[in-house]
């Protein structure tokens, strides 16, 4: 979830001067349009994740480098996806989120198994599961704008382009200590895991 040439150029121009914009604002992890993602919000989500990971049976999780950056990336991505949806008059309802979560829980063998998978595979704490589900549904809707399906090459290409356009419009500025936003891939610096599902993949 590749941008038009114009979108690439605009994003590059925006990123050239806006790293200092975030870095010059104390306590700011990233600026996404007019919205500010604070260091405090990032650290709170990281703390939630670590507390839940620590409660897992021994040997199931060992923290790797880059957790904070991955968290910043996820929070920026969520804002970009939301902007892309709104720009096209789309929205995800609470009922859709509830239905999708129930469907995924059945596919994974229950809510606890779904929560553990999202925690380990996507670093999503329990309180963020609904937000993650809404994001996934939103990406599906973006793909469907061109009659495509998320998880296919064409569907993913469509979503990549729409997210790149949203990134350019928002003029994303990430505090340099976390890296720089890659508007073409919609990740911070470089993704550690694929964030677009393969065709037929759950969650």
């Amino acid at each position: 979830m590749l941008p038009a040439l114009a979108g690439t150029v605009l994003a590059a121009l925006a990123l050239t001067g806006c790293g200092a914009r975030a870095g010059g604002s104390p306590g700011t992890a990233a600026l996404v349009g007019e919205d500010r993602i604070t260091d405090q919000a990032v650290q709170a989500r990281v703390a939630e994740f670590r507390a839940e990971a620590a409660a897992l049976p021994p040997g199931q999780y060992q923290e790797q480098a880059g957790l904070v950056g991955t968290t910043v990336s996820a929070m920026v991505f969520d804002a970009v996806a939301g902007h892309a949806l709104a720009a096209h008059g789309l929205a995800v309802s609470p009922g859709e989120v509830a239905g999708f979560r129930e469907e995924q829980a059945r596919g994974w063998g229950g809510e606890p198994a779904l929560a553990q998978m999202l925690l380990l595979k996507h670093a999503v704490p329990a309180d963020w599961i609904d937000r993650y589900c809404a994001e996934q549904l939103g990406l599906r809707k973006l793909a469907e704008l061109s009659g495509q399906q998320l998880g296919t090459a064409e569907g993913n290409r469509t979503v990549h382009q729409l997210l790149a356009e949203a990134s350019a419009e928002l003029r994303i500025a990430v505090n340099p200590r976390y890296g720089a936003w890659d508007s073409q891939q919609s990740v911070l610096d470089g993704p550690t895991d694929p964030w677009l599902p393969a065709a037929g993949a759950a969650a």
Side-chain angles (χ1 to χ4, degrees):
M1 342 164 211
L2 286 161
L5 179 59
T8 304
V9 173
L10 287 172
L13 289 173
L15 287 170
T16 299
C18 65
R21 193 162 64 100
S25 181
T28 298
L31 292 173
V32 184
E34 298 300 317
D35 296 326
R36 177 171 172 257
I37 297 174
T38 65
D39 288 329
Q40 184 178 11
V42 172
Q43 292 300 332
R45 177 164 168 169
V46 168
E48 286 180 57
F49 171 82
R50 285 175 170 155
E52 291 174 24
L56 293 172
Q60 283 203 312
Y61 175 75
Q62 181 175 356
E63 184 171 321
Q64 304 296 315
L67 174 61
V68 175
T70 296
T71 301
V72 173
S73 184
M75 295 174 77
V76 173
F77 178 82
D78 182 67
V80 171
H83 182 82
L85 277 178
H88 291 276
L90 299 172
V92 177
S93 71
E96 288 176 307
V97 171
F100 180 78
R101 182 167 177 168
E102 289 175 8
E103 174 189 322
Q104 295 302 310
R106 285 195 299 270
W108 283 92
E111 182 73 22
L114 173 65
Q116 182 171 309
M117 182 280 292
L118 290 176
L119 186 73
L120 293 175
K121 187 175 180 182
H122 299 291
V124 177
D127 286 348
W128 289 77
I129 292 178
D130 279 352
R131 189 79 168 260
Y132 180 84
C133 289
E135 179 185 284
Q136 294 302 302
L137 286 168
L139 297 177
R140 284 185 179 184
K141 292 188 178 191
L142 290 176
E144 290 167 357
L145 282 173
S146 60
Q148 304 298 329
Q149 182 180 356
L150 187 67
T152 65
E154 287 301 318
N156 287 359
R157 188 174 297 113
T158 293
V159 178
H160 265 301
Q161 179 171 338
L162 295 174
L163 293 178
E165 291 170 358
S167 289
E169 291 171 3
L170 289 168
R171 296 184 67 248
I172 297 166
V174 176
N175 191 308
R177 70 173 174 268
Y178 298 120
W181 186 251
D182 182 339
S183 63
Q184 294 188 35
Q185 295 299 319
S186 296
V187 290
L188 188 63
D189 292 332
T192 54
D193 294 297
W195 53 269
L196 281 172

